[in-house]
Amino acid sequence: MKTFNIAVIAGDGIGKEVVPEGMRVLEAAGRRFNFQMHWHAFNWSCETYVQTGKMMPEDGLRQLAPFSAIFLGAVGHPSVPDHVSLWGLLIPIRRTFRQYVNLRPVRLFDGIESPLKNWKPGQIDFTIVRENNEGEYSNIGGRLYEGTADEMAVQQTVFTRRGVNRVLRFAFELARKRKKHLTSATKSNGIIHTMPFWDECFHNLAADYPDVRTDQYHIDILTAHFVRHPDWFDVVVGSNLFGDILSDLGPAVVGSIGIAPSANLNPENEYPSMFEPVHGSAPPFAGKNIANPIGAISTAAMMLEHLGFAKESERINQAVLEAVRQKKTTADIGGSLGTKESAEWIAYNV
Ligand code: NAI
Ligand code: MG
């Protein structure tokens, strides 16, 4: 029987409730399809930070490196500034393990009311590929003349040929497996050095993929198209900042953030990839058994696919679709079940 060693970081708030439900569903799938998950839990979180002053131990990354994958809930708590939790845990994992692709599927489910009118399931089905290691989110920069009238702040954006090409290539390959259409987010009219460089790399690579139809939009009008024409898209690729914004907007146009999954991939498998729902720790929802577990369950399905069990992963996705259709879900998407009960229904129906 195939066995996987998975590092689990449930984190804070509802992360601690939805992660065990994702595990429940994978265990159910494993019993049915003959694989086994060995979980190794790490209690790294804002709670740990308050006690120890660190989001993870000094050798945290070394501890994670041997695992087949990392399954993460959410980190964040009002007692700890968000940049501390992000730069103390998530960003070091994403960067050290070269998880340069952040993948976020966006699909309109039967049974979920989209805030957009008149769209039917099947009409909205695209995937966002966000550059996850460089770009606008760099720690190069600083402040001068702090606290004076002359104070200034500089933050550098970093685009490397290697970094841009590898994420674009991933997006082209993905488009090739889907509807063969790739859209690039740019802003080369306003950001005159890095964005024309991004566009150049995109055009150069497009020559290698004559079977993939390409287009590009400036990020401002692209956000409008996400709302007005969500059916235009198949794979959408963007830099770290643009991809971040699009990947919250995408799930928002198809309904609840509570059902959106994501993956941080190291496509070459030199290091473990990390899988986490799009939502955060939602402190007001924590401890009430009301958080939607589907984001975490669909994330677990993405992890299973990455581990080579694509067919089995699809079975989980089907069970999720069925739960949503029959409203065997939490209240945020129209059901009346608790977190645990909704996940139990899905686990039973995998
Ligand atoms: P959030 O995603 O935690 O919550 C925003 C709202 O979305 C909630 O109030 C709720 O209405 C809804 N929501 C989120 N998840 C849900 C679920 N599973 N079921 C039903 N409804 C759900 O975002 P927020 O409030 O901006 O951030 C809270 C904390 O989480 C912050 O500390 C933030 O930094 C952190 N965060 C962490 C992330 C991560 O670990 N990757 C991602 C986003 C936020
Ligand atoms: Mg975000």
Side-chain angles (χ1 to χ4, degrees):
M1 187 190 299
K2 184 76 185 160
T3 302
F4 300 106
N5 291 312
I6 309 293
V8 180
I9 307 172
D12 298 293
I14 63 169
K16 287 195 278 207
E17 291 169 75
V18 297
V19 158
E21 302 311 328
M23 292 160 69
R24 176 199 302 284
V25 172
L26 279 192
E27 282 170 14
R31 283 192 294 276
R32 176 155 287 197
F33 303 117
N34 216 33
F35 63 84
Q36 206 171 16
M37 312 305 277
H38 281 178
W39 309 106
H40 189 109
F42 295 87
N43 69 345
W44 305 342
S45 59
C46 289
E47 220 172 291
T48 331
Y49 178 85
V50 171
Q51 291 158 11
T52 65
K54 289 202 160 58
M55 288 298 299
M56 66 176 153
E58 270 332 319
D59 68 342
L61 295 168
R62 204 182 46 76
Q63 292 186 42
L64 292 177
F67 287 94
S68 307
I70 303 161
F71 186 36
L72 184 130
V75 291
H77 190 269
S79 62
V80 179
D82 282 345
H83 71 271
V84 170
S85 46
L86 195 63
W87 282 88
L89 187 68
L90 287 179
I91 290 190
I93 294 174
R94 289 173 180 166
R95 297 203 171 174
T96 306
F97 294 154
R98 304 291 189 270
Q99 296 165 351
Y100 61 83
V101 170
N102 185 221
L103 194 63
R104 297 193 178 180
V106 174
R107 196 151 45 132
L108 181 59
F109 283 23
D110 187 7
I112 292 200
E113 212 173 308
S114 157
L116 306 181
K117 273 193 208 139
N118 303 329
W119 291 98
K120 293 192 185 59
Q123 289 182 316
I124 306 178
D125 181 1
F126 61 96
T127 283
I128 296 157
V129 175
R130 164 188 173 191
E131 200 291 315
N132 212 25
N133 275 183
E134 53 176 44
E136 302 86 349
Y137 297 0
S138 96
N139 51 3
I140 301 176
R143 290 205 194 188
L144 264 181
Y145 309 119
E146 264 175 81
T148 74
D150 298 322
E151 182 162 2
M152 59 176 276
V154 174
Q155 170 100 43
Q156 294 292 343
T157 292
V158 176
F159 279 26
T160 65
R161 187 175 292 282
R162 202 155 80 101
V164 173
N165 275 338
R166 67 186 177 185
V167 73
L168 290 175
R169 195 171 281 286
F170 180 92
F172 273 107
E173 292 289 337
L174 184 63
R176 193 169 250 181
K177 287 187 221 135
R178 293 177 45 110
K179 287 172 275 175
K180 300 187 171 30
H181 176 204
L182 179 61
T183 302
S184 166
T186 184
K187 191 63 196 171
S188 42
N189 55 350
I191 302 175
I192 60 166
H193 299 299
T194 49
M195 280 300 157
F197 177 70
W198 172 279
D199 293 353
E200 223 175 270
C201 293
F202 183 67
H203 291 303
N204 289 344
L205 265 185
D208 290 352
Y209 297 88
D211 51 324
V212 175
R213 182 161 65 89
T214 58
D215 47 26
Q216 67 179 52
Y217 299 97
H218 293 308
I219 186 68
D220 38 0
I221 191 64
L222 183 55
T223 56
H225 290 331
F226 263 41
V227 175
R228 297 177 56 101
H229 310 287
D231 58 330
W232 281 2
F233 303 106
D234 176 22
V235 179
V236 182
V237 64
S239 64
N240 212 330
L241 173 63
F242 293 172
D244 192 6
I245 295 167
L246 292 175
S247 59
D248 272 25
L249 180 58
V253 301
V254 291
S256 165
I257 190 164
I259 61 171
S262 88
N264 301 277
L265 299 178
N266 172 251
E268 291 76 25
N269 287 318
E270 311 151 295
Y271 302 99
S273 293
M274 177 165 67
F275 299 81
E276 52 172 329
V278 168
H279 65 74
S281 56
F285 280 53
K288 297 180 179 156
N289 196 40
I290 56 173
N292 196 330
I294 288 181
I297 292 169
S298 300
T299 296
M302 285 182 91
M303 180 163 76
L304 190 59
E305 183 183 357
H306 178 77
L307 294 170
F309 280 64
K311 249 188 10 246
E312 295 75 3
S313 162
E314 193 43 39
R315 288 289 293 264
I316 296 176
N317 290 333
Q318 289 305 322
V320 166
L321 282 176
E322 201 47 42
V324 174
R325 198 174 296 133
Q326 296 190 32
K327 301 241 181 286
K328 303 290 185 192
T329 58
T330 46
D332 55 306
I333 52 171
S336 57
L337 298 182
T339 306
K340 188 160 170 274
E341 293 70 28
S342 165
E344 280 171 349
W345 193 93
I346 293 165
Y348 186 78
N349 287 283
V350 162

